[in-house]
Amino acid sequence: HKGEYLHFMEKEIFEQPQAVQDTLLYACDKENNEFSYEAFSMSEKDFRDITRIRIIACGSAYHAGYVLKSVCESLARVPVQVELASEFRYNHPILEDGEIVIGISQSGETADTLAAIKEAKKLGAKTLSIVNVNGSAIAGESDFVFYTQAGPEIAVATTKAYSCQLVAGYIFSLLLAKTKGKIGDEEAHILKEELFSLPGKIQQCLSLDSETLTMAKKLKDDKNIFFLGRGLDWAVSMEGALKLKEISYIHCESYSSGELKHGTISLIEKDSPVIALLSQEELAAKSISNIHEVKSRGAKCFAFTMEDISVEEDDFAQILSVPKTQPLFAGSLLVVPLQFLSYQVSLLKGLDPDKPRNLAKSVTVE
Ligand code: BG6
């Protein structure tokens, strides 16, 4: 039921603080309130045995995989490879001893992801699925399961399930980092506290809807929109671009800031819209120099930043900033105004954001 909301997508965007909070609590041991291996239906030994990680997923879940990669490699120093589920089986996959295969899926029914999990099992790998639907096929096929607590998601374009997938990835990375001795108790505690502050900060991001509406009005008639980011910002920009193209039918392309000059820059002309994600302080200056490259070719630029990151007003047509958090978790905040932007562009164009043409919520054919 949509209740006071116009669309399920809007409702689900607003449910994110609760969904994230529920996922954090689900991951905690009820007795000592610490993140538990059991939430992943795994043991400490299962975590200790992990030497490599292969993520397989489709669509937004695939993008969540890139965030997991960035966070996990940074915290736990375990190598992570992200692969499209539909490609995995046909790429002659090589899985090493100790490599765990993680399938990420909201529905738990996506045929490509299910087939990839089965293939991974056949190859002898341990499999973990991060799914939102209890008792789904992918959960059933996997050795281990973590259930994101987004609740039912109706809108075709995912919002709250993606947000919960990010959180599942953070918790997994934190547990792995602790198990591998890469972070101490104190650091783990600080990160956990920061994770528990996310629902409140996501709540604050929900008031960015009027700023994104201003941006949506400036972008709704464009035919091509470029998204830029480095590192984690790149991972999140993939989701921002997908969300917008899924429901607004505007062609959007996400590009790594540094790679731009090796290709896409040839498409930049006067007034080409470029949306830069700038939440990673140590990378922001580099990305801004890429912004100067497109600006000098006439691009109109927009920025999504985190508080305290300094950007020149003159460089951008509009700057939108999210509350400060530990940079590894910035995606959870940035994604909210990106979702709003997509939703509002879709409405301004008179489209139905809940039911984009040609797309299905869950695709059970390969
Ligand atoms: C697609 C949906 O076809 O499947 C996407 O339209 C979704 O929104 C993708 O991200 C993967 O779905 P799931 O259920 O495996 O996360």
Side-chain angles (χ1 to χ4, degrees), residues 17-65:
Q18 190 66 53
V20 164
Q21 171 84 2
D22 291 347
T23 302
L24 288 166
L25 290 174
Y26 168 84
C28 285
D29 189 303
K30 300 295 160 272
E31 264 158 34
N32 61 12
N33 207 30
E34 292 296 331
F35 290 137
S36 75
Y37 301 109
E38 289 73 30
F40 292 84
S41 65
M42 294 169 74
S43 66
E44 182 173 357
K45 180 177 183 310
D46 292 326
F47 269 78
R48 220 180 308 122
D49 288 346
I50 297 172
T51 56
R52 293 185 76 89
I53 296 164
R54 187 78 60 105
I55 296 173
I56 46 172
C58 308
S60 296
Y62 172 69
H63 298 152

CSV table of all heavy atoms in Angstrom, one decimal, residues 17-65:
chain,number,residue,atom,x,y,z
A,17,PRO,N,15.8,4.8,6.0
A,17,PRO,CA,16.4,4.8,7.4
A,17,PRO,C,16.0,3.6,8.2
A,17,PRO,O,16.9,2.9,8.8
A,17,PRO,CB,15.8,6.1,8.0
A,17,PRO,CG,15.5,7.0,6.8
A,17,PRO,CD,15.1,6.1,5.7
A,18,GLN,N,14.7,3.2,8.1
A,18,GLN,CA,14.2,2.0,8.8
A,18,GLN,C,14.8,0.8,8.3
A,18,GLN,O,15.3,-0.1,9.0
A,18,GLN,CB,12.7,2.0,8.7
A,18,GLN,CG,12.1,1.0,9.7
A,18,GLN,CD,12.3,1.3,11.1
A,18,GLN,OE1,12.0,2.4,11.5
A,18,GLN,NE2,12.9,0.4,11.9
A,19,ALA,N,14.9,0.6,7.0
A,19,ALA,CA,15.4,-0.6,6.3
A,19,ALA,C,16.9,-0.8,6.7
A,19,ALA,O,17.3,-1.9,7.0
A,19,ALA,CB,15.2,-0.5,4.8
A,20,VAL,N,17.6,0.3,6.7
A,20,VAL,CA,19.1,0.2,7.1
A,20,VAL,C,19.2,-0.2,8.5
A,20,VAL,O,20.0,-1.0,8.9
A,20,VAL,CB,19.8,1.5,6.7
A,20,VAL,CG1,21.1,1.6,7.4
A,20,VAL,CG2,19.9,1.6,5.2
A,21,GLN,N,18.4,0.5,9.4
A,21,GLN,CA,18.5,0.2,10.8
A,21,GLN,C,18.1,-1.3,11.1
A,21,GLN,O,18.8,-1.9,11.8
A,21,GLN,CB,17.4,1.1,11.5
A,21,GLN,CG,17.2,0.8,13.0
A,21,GLN,CD,18.2,1.5,13.9
A,21,GLN,OE1,19.1,2.2,13.4
A,21,GLN,NE2,18.1,1.3,15.1
A,22,ASP,N,17.1,-1.8,10.4
A,22,ASP,CA,16.7,-3.1,10.6
A,22,ASP,C,17.8,-4.1,10.1
A,22,ASP,O,18.0,-5.2,10.8
A,22,ASP,CB,15.4,-3.4,9.8
A,22,ASP,CG,14.2,-2.7,10.4
A,22,ASP,OD1,14.3,-2.2,11.6
A,22,ASP,OD2,13.1,-2.7,9.7
A,23,THR,N,18.5,-3.8,9.1
A,23,THR,CA,19.5,-4.6,8.6
A,23,THR,C,20.7,-4.6,9.5
A,23,THR,O,21.3,-5.7,9.8
A,23,THR,CB,19.9,-4.2,7.2
A,23,THR,OG1,18.8,-4.2,6.3
A,23,THR,CG2,21.0,-5.1,6.6
A,24,LEU,N,21.0,-3.5,10.1
A,24,LEU,CA,22.1,-3.4,11.1
A,24,LEU,C,21.7,-4.2,12.3
A,24,LEU,O,22.6,-5.0,12.9
A,24,LEU,CB,22.3,-1.9,11.5
A,24,LEU,CG,23.0,-1.0,10.5
A,24,LEU,CD1,22.8,0.4,10.9
A,24,LEU,CD2,24.5,-1.4,10.3
A,25,LEU,N,20.5,-4.1,12.8
A,25,LEU,CA,20.1,-4.9,14.0
A,25,LEU,C,20.0,-6.4,13.7
A,25,LEU,O,20.4,-7.2,14.6
A,25,LEU,CB,18.7,-4.4,14.5
A,25,LEU,CG,18.7,-3.0,15.1
A,25,LEU,CD1,17.3,-2.6,15.4
A,25,LEU,CD2,19.6,-2.9,16.3
A,26,TYR,N,19.6,-6.7,12.5
A,26,TYR,CA,19.6,-8.2,12.1
A,26,TYR,C,21.0,-8.8,12.2
A,26,TYR,O,21.1,-9.9,12.5
A,26,TYR,CB,19.0,-8.2,10.7
A,26,TYR,CG,19.2,-9.6,10.0
A,26,TYR,CD1,18.3,-10.6,10.2
A,26,TYR,CD2,20.3,-9.8,9.1
A,26,TYR,CE1,18.4,-11.8,9.5
A,26,TYR,CE2,20.5,-11.1,8.5
A,26,TYR,CZ,19.5,-12.1,8.7
A,26,TYR,OH,19.7,-13.3,8.1
A,27,ALA,N,22.0,-7.9,11.9
A,27,ALA,CA,23.3,-8.5,11.9
A,27,ALA,C,24.0,-8.6,13.3
A,27,ALA,O,25.1,-9.1,13.4
A,27,ALA,CB,24.2,-7.5,11.0
A,28,CYS,N,23.2,-8.1,14.3
A,28,CYS,CA,23.8,-8.1,15.6
A,28,CYS,C,23.4,-9.3,16.4
A,28,CYS,O,22.2,-9.7,16.4
A,28,CYS,CB,23.4,-6.8,16.4
A,28,CYS,SG,24.2,-5.4,15.8
A,29,ASP,N,24.3,-9.8,17.2
A,29,ASP,CA,24.1,-10.8,18.2
A,29,ASP,C,23.2,-10.2,19.3
A,29,ASP,O,23.5,-9.1,19.8
A,29,ASP,CB,25.4,-11.2,18.8
A,29,ASP,CG,25.3,-12.4,19.7
A,29,ASP,OD1,24.5,-12.4,20.6
A,29,ASP,OD2,26.0,-13.4,19.4
A,30,LYS,N,22.1,-10.9,19.6
A,30,LYS,CA,21.1,-10.3,20.5
A,30,LYS,C,21.7,-10.1,21.9
A,30,LYS,O,21.3,-9.3,22.7
A,30,LYS,CB,19.8,-11.1,20.6
A,30,LYS,CG,19.1,-11.3,19.3
A,30,LYS,CD,18.6,-9.9,18.7
A,30,LYS,CE,18.3,-10.0,17.2
A,30,LYS,NZ,19.4,-9.6,16.3
A,31,GLU,N,22.7,-11.0,22.3
A,31,GLU,CA,23.2,-10.9,23.6
A,31,GLU,C,24.2,-9.8,23.9
A,31,GLU,O,24.1,-9.0,24.8
A,31,GLU,CB,23.8,-12.3,24.0
A,31,GLU,CG,22.8,-13.1,24.8
A,31,GLU,CD,23.1,-14.6,24.8
A,31,GLU,OE1,24.3,-15.0,24.8
A,31,GLU,OE2,22.2,-15.4,24.7
A,32,ASN,N,25.2,-9.8,23.0
A,32,ASN,CA,26.3,-8.7,23.2
A,32,ASN,C,26.2,-7.5,22.3
A,32,ASN,O,27.0,-6.7,22.3
A,32,ASN,CB,27.7,-9.3,23.2
A,32,ASN,CG,28.0,-10.0,21.8
A,32,ASN,OD1,27.2,-9.7,20.9
A,32,ASN,ND2,29.0,-10.7,21.7
A,33,ASN,N,25.2,-7.6,21.4
A,33,ASN,CA,25.0,-6.5,20.4
A,33,ASN,C,26.2,-6.2,19.5
A,33,ASN,O,26.4,-5.1,19.1
A,33,ASN,CB,24.6,-5.2,21.3
A,33,ASN,CG,23.8,-4.2,20.5
A,33,ASN,OD1,23.0,-4.7,19.6
A,33,ASN,ND2,23.9,-3.0,20.8
A,34,GLU,N,26.9,-7.2,19.2
A,34,GLU,CA,28.1,-7.1,18.3
A,34,GLU,C,27.6,-7.7,17.0
A,34,GLU,O,26.8,-8.6,16.9
A,34,GLU,CB,29.3,-7.8,18.8
A,34,GLU,CG,29.9,-7.2,20.0
A,34,GLU,CD,30.5,-5.8,19.8
A,34,GLU,OE1,30.9,-5.5,18.6
A,34,GLU,OE2,30.5,-5.0,20.7
A,35,PHE,N,28.2,-7.3,15.9
A,35,PHE,CA,27.9,-7.9,14.6
A,35,PHE,C,28.4,-9.4,14.7
A,35,PHE,O,29.4,-9.7,15.2
A,35,PHE,CB,28.7,-7.3,13.4
A,35,PHE,CG,28.2,-5.9,13.1
A,35,PHE,CD1,29.1,-4.8,12.9
A,35,PHE,CD2,26.8,-5.6,13.0
A,35,PHE,CE1,28.6,-3.5,12.6
A,35,PHE,CE2,26.4,-4.4,12.7
A,35,PHE,CZ,27.2,-3.3,12.5
A,36,SER,N,27.5,-10.3,14.1
A,36,SER,CA,27.8,-11.7,14.3
A,36,SER,C,28.0,-12.4,13.0
A,36,SER,O,27.4,-12.1,12.0
A,36,SER,CB,26.7,-12.3,15.1
A,36,SER,OG,25.5,-12.5,14.3
A,37,TYR,N,28.9,-13.4,13.1
A,37,TYR,CA,29.1,-14.3,11.9
A,37,TYR,C,27.8,-15.0,11.6
A,37,TYR,O,27.5,-15.3,10.4
A,37,TYR,CB,30.1,-15.3,12.2
A,37,TYR,CG,31.5,-14.7,12.6
A,37,TYR,CD1,32.0,-14.8,13.9
A,37,TYR,CD2,32.3,-14.1,11.7
A,37,TYR,CE1,33.2,-14.3,14.3
A,37,TYR,CE2,33.5,-13.6,12.0
A,37,TYR,CZ,34.0,-13.7,13.3
A,37,TYR,OH,35.2,-13.1,13.6
A,38,GLU,N,27.0,-15.3,12.6
A,38,GLU,CA,25.8,-16.1,12.5
A,38,GLU,C,24.8,-15.4,11.5
A,38,GLU,O,24.0,-16.0,10.9
A,38,GLU,CB,25.1,-16.4,13.8
A,38,GLU,CG,25.8,-17.4,14.7
A,38,GLU,CD,27.1,-16.9,15.3
A,38,GLU,OE1,27.1,-15.6,15.6
A,38,GLU,OE2,28.1,-17.6,15.5
A,39,ALA,N,24.8,-14.0,11.5
A,39,ALA,CA,23.9,-13.3,10.6
A,39,ALA,C,24.1,-13.7,9.2
A,39,ALA,O,23.2,-13.6,8.3
A,39,ALA,CB,24.1,-11.8,10.8
A,40,PHE,N,25.4,-14.1,8.9
A,40,PHE,CA,25.7,-14.6,7.6
A,40,PHE,C,25.6,-16.2,7.5
A,40,PHE,O,26.0,-16.8,6.6
A,40,PHE,CB,27.1,-14.2,7.2
A,40,PHE,CG,27.2,-12.7,7.0
A,40,PHE,CD1,27.4,-11.9,8.1
A,40,PHE,CD2,27.1,-12.1,5.7
A,40,PHE,CE1,27.5,-10.5,7.9
A,40,PHE,CE2,27.2,-10.7,5.6
A,40,PHE,CZ,27.4,-9.9,6.7
A,41,SER,N,25.0,-16.7,8.5
A,41,SER,CA,25.0,-18.2,8.8
A,41,SER,C,26.3,-18.8,8.6
A,41,SER,O,26.5,-20.0,8.2
A,41,SER,CB,23.9,-18.9,7.9
A,41,SER,OG,24.2,-18.8,6.5
A,42,MET,N,27.4,-18.1,9.0
A,42,MET,CA,28.7,-18.6,8.9
A,42,MET,C,29.4,-18.6,10.3
A,42,MET,O,28.9,-18.1,11.3
A,42,MET,CB,29.6,-17.6,8.0
A,42,MET,CG,29.1,-17.6,6.6
A,42,MET,SD,29.8,-16.3,5.6
A,42,MET,CE,31.5,-16.9,5.3
A,43,SER,N,30.5,-19.3,10.4
A,43,SER,CA,31.3,-19.3,11.6
A,43,SER,C,32.5,-18.5,11.5
A,43,SER,O,32.9,-18.0,10.4
A,43,SER,CB,31.7,-20.8,11.9
A,43,SER,OG,32.6,-21.2,10.9
A,44,GLU,N,33.2,-18.2,12.6
A,44,GLU,CA,34.5,-17.5,12.5
A,44,GLU,C,35.5,-18.1,11.6
A,44,GLU,O,36.2,-17.5,10.8
A,44,GLU,CB,35.1,-17.3,14.0
A,44,GLU,CG,36.3,-16.5,13.9
A,44,GLU,CD,36.8,-16.2,15.3
A,44,GLU,OE1,36.2,-16.5,16.3
A,44,GLU,OE2,37.9,-15.5,15.4
A,45,LYS,N,35.5,-19.5,11.7
A,45,LYS,CA,36.4,-20.2,10.8
A,45,LYS,C,36.1,-20.0,9.3
A,45,LYS,O,36.9,-19.9,8.5
A,45,LYS,CB,36.3,-21.7,11.1
A,45,LYS,CG,37.3,-22.6,10.3
A,45,LYS,CD,37.3,-24.0,10.6
A,45,LYS,CE,38.3,-24.8,9.8
A,45,LYS,NZ,38.2,-24.6,8.3
A,46,ASP,N,34.8,-20.0,9.0
A,46,ASP,CA,34.4,-19.8,7.6
A,46,ASP,C,35.0,-18.4,7.1
A,46,ASP,O,35.4,-18.3,6.0
A,46,ASP,CB,32.8,-19.7,7.5
A,46,ASP,CG,32.2,-21.1,7.7
A,46,ASP,OD1,32.8,-22.1,7.4
A,46,ASP,OD2,31.1,-21.1,8.3
A,47,PHE,N,34.9,-17.4,8.0
A,47,PHE,CA,35.5,-16.1,7.6
A,47,PHE,C,37.0,-16.2,7.5
A,47,PHE,O,37.6,-15.7,6.6
A,47,PHE,CB,35.1,-15.0,8.7
A,47,PHE,CG,33.8,-14.3,8.3
A,47,PHE,CD1,32.6,-14.9,8.5
A,47,PHE,CD2,33.8,-13.1,7.7
A,47,PHE,CE1,31.4,-14.3,8.2
A,47,PHE,CE2,32.6,-12.4,7.4
A,47,PHE,CZ,31.4,-13.0,7.6
A,48,ARG,N,37.6,-16.9,8.5
A,48,ARG,CA,39.1,-17.0,8.5
A,48,ARG,C,39.6,-17.7,7.2
A,48,ARG,O,40.6,-17.4,6.7
A,48,ARG,CB,39.6,-17.8,9.7
A,48,ARG,CG,40.8,-17.1,10.3
A,48,ARG,CD,41.3,-17.9,11.5
A,48,ARG,NE,40.3,-18.1,12.6
A,48,ARG,CZ,39.9,-19.3,13.1
A,48,ARG,NH1,40.5,-20.4,12.6
A,48,ARG,NH2,39.0,-19.3,14.0
A,49,ASP,N,38.8,-18.6,6.7
A,49,ASP,CA,39.2,-19.4,5.5
A,49,ASP,C,39.1,-18.6,4.2
A,49,ASP,O,39.6,-19.1,3.2
A,49,ASP,CB,38.3,-20.6,5.4
A,49,ASP,CG,38.6,-21.7,6.4
A,49,ASP,OD1,39.7,-21.6,7.1
A,49,ASP,OD2,37.8,-22.6,6.6
A,50,ILE,N,38.5,-17.5,4.2
A,50,ILE,CA,38.3,-16.7,3.0
A,50,ILE,C,39.6,-16.0,2.6
A,50,ILE,O,40.2,-15.3,3.3
A,50,ILE,CB,37.2,-15.6,3.2
A,50,ILE,CG1,35.9,-16.2,3.5
A,50,ILE,CG2,37.1,-14.7,1.9
A,50,ILE,CD1,34.8,-15.2,3.9
A,51,THR,N,40.1,-16.3,1.4
A,51,THR,CA,41.3,-15.7,0.9
A,51,THR,C,41.0,-14.8,-0.3
A,51,THR,O,41.8,-13.9,-0.6
A,51,THR,CB,42.3,-16.8,0.4
A,51,THR,OG1,41.7,-17.6,-0.6
A,51,THR,CG2,42.8,-17.6,1.6
A,52,ARG,N,39.9,-15.0,-1.0
A,52,ARG,CA,39.5,-14.2,-2.1
A,52,ARG,C,38.0,-14.1,-2.2
A,52,ARG,O,37.4,-15.0,-1.7
A,52,ARG,CB,40.0,-14.7,-3.5
A,52,ARG,CG,41.5,-14.8,-3.7
A,52,ARG,CD,41.8,-15.2,-5.1
A,52,ARG,NE,41.5,-14.2,-6.1
A,52,ARG,CZ,42.5,-13.3,-6.4
A,52,ARG,NH1,43.7,-13.3,-5.9
A,52,ARG,NH2,42.2,-12.3,-7.3
A,53,ILE,N,37.5,-13.1,-2.9
A,53,ILE,CA,36.0,-13.0,-3.0
A,53,ILE,C,35.6,-12.7,-4.4
A,53,ILE,O,36.3,-11.9,-5.1
A,53,ILE,CB,35.5,-11.8,-2.1
A,53,ILE,CG1,35.8,-12.2,-0.6
A,53,ILE,CG2,34.0,-11.6,-2.3
A,53,ILE,CD1,35.7,-11.0,0.3
A,54,ARG,N,34.6,-13.5,-4.9
A,54,ARG,CA,34.1,-13.2,-6.2
A,54,ARG,C,32.6,-12.8,-6.0
A,54,ARG,O,31.8,-13.6,-5.4
A,54,ARG,CB,34.1,-14.5,-7.0
A,54,ARG,CG,33.7,-14.3,-8.5
A,54,ARG,CD,34.8,-13.7,-9.3
A,54,ARG,NE,36.0,-14.5,-9.3
A,54,ARG,CZ,36.5,-15.2,-10.3
A,54,ARG,NH1,35.8,-15.3,-11.5
A,54,ARG,NH2,37.6,-16.0,-10.2
A,55,ILE,N,32.3,-11.7,-6.5
A,55,ILE,CA,30.9,-11.2,-6.4
A,55,ILE,C,30.2,-11.4,-7.7
A,55,ILE,O,30.7,-11.0,-8.8
A,55,ILE,CB,30.8,-9.8,-5.9
A,55,ILE,CG1,31.4,-9.6,-4.5
A,55,ILE,CG2,29.3,-9.3,-5.9
A,55,ILE,CD1,31.5,-8.2,-4.0
A,56,ILE,N,29.0,-12.0,-7.7
A,56,ILE,CA,28.2,-12.1,-8.9
A,56,ILE,C,26.8,-11.5,-8.7
A,56,ILE,O,26.2,-11.8,-7.7
A,56,ILE,CB,28.1,-13.6,-9.4
A,56,ILE,CG1,27.8,-14.5,-8.2
A,56,ILE,CG2,29.4,-14.0,-10.1
A,56,ILE,CD1,27.5,-15.9,-8.7
A,57,ALA,N,26.4,-10.8,-9.6
A,57,ALA,CA,25.1,-10.1,-9.5
A,57,ALA,C,24.7,-9.4,-10.8
A,57,ALA,O,25.5,-9.4,-11.7
A,57,ALA,CB,25.1,-9.1,-8.3
A,58,CYS,N,23.5,-8.9,-10.8
A,58,CYS,CA,23.0,-8.1,-12.0
A,58,CYS,C,22.5,-6.8,-11.6
A,58,CYS,O,22.0,-6.6,-10.4
A,58,CYS,CB,21.8,-8.9,-12.6
A,58,CYS,SG,22.1,-10.6,-12.9
A,59,GLY,N,22.5,-5.9,-12.5
A,59,GLY,CA,21.8,-4.6,-12.3
A,59,GLY,C,22.4,-3.8,-11.1
A,59,GLY,O,23.6,-3.7,-10.9
A,60,SER,N,21.4,-3.3,-10.3
A,60,SER,CA,21.9,-2.5,-9.1
A,60,SER,C,22.7,-3.4,-8.1
A,60,SER,O,23.6,-2.9,-7.4
A,60,SER,CB,20.6,-1.9,-8.4
A,60,SER,OG,20.0,-1.1,-9.3
A,61,ALA,N,22.3,-4.6,-8.0
A,61,ALA,CA,23.0,-5.5,-7.1
A,61,ALA,C,24.5,-5.6,-7.5
A,61,ALA,O,25.4,-5.7,-6.7
A,61,ALA,CB,22.3,-6.9,-7.0
A,62,TYR,N,24.7,-5.6,-8.8
A,62,TYR,CA,26.1,-5.6,-9.3
A,62,TYR,C,26.8,-4.4,-8.9
A,62,TYR,O,28.0,-4.4,-8.5
A,62,TYR,CB,26.0,-5.7,-10.9
A,62,TYR,CG,27.2,-5.6,-11.7
A,62,TYR,CD1,28.2,-6.6,-11.6
A,62,TYR,CD2,27.4,-4.5,-12.5
A,62,TYR,CE1,29.4,-6.4,-12.4
A,62,TYR,CE2,28.5,-4.4,-13.3
A,62,TYR,CZ,29.5,-5.3,-13.2
A,62,TYR,OH,30.6,-5.2,-14.0
A,63,HIS,N,26.1,-3.2,-8.9
A,63,HIS,CA,26.7,-2.0,-8.5
A,63,HIS,C,27.0,-2.0,-7.0
A,63,HIS,O,28.1,-1.5,-6.6
A,63,HIS,CB,25.8,-0.8,-8.8
A,63,HIS,CG,25.6,-0.6,-10.3
A,63,HIS,ND1,24.5,-0.1,-10.8
A,63,HIS,CD2,26.4,-1.0,-11.3
A,63,HIS,CE1,24.6,-0.1,-12.2
A,63,HIS,NE2,25.8,-0.7,-12.5
A,64,ALA,N,26.1,-2.6,-6.2
A,64,ALA,CA,26.4,-2.8,-4.8
A,64,ALA,C,27.7,-3.6,-4.6
A,64,ALA,O,28.5,-3.4,-3.7
A,64,ALA,CB,25.2,-3.4,-4.1
A,65,GLY,N,27.9,-4.6,-5.5
A,65,GLY,CA,29.1,-5.4,-5.5
A,65,GLY,C,30.4,-4.5,-5.6
A,65,GLY,O,31.4,-4.8,-4.9
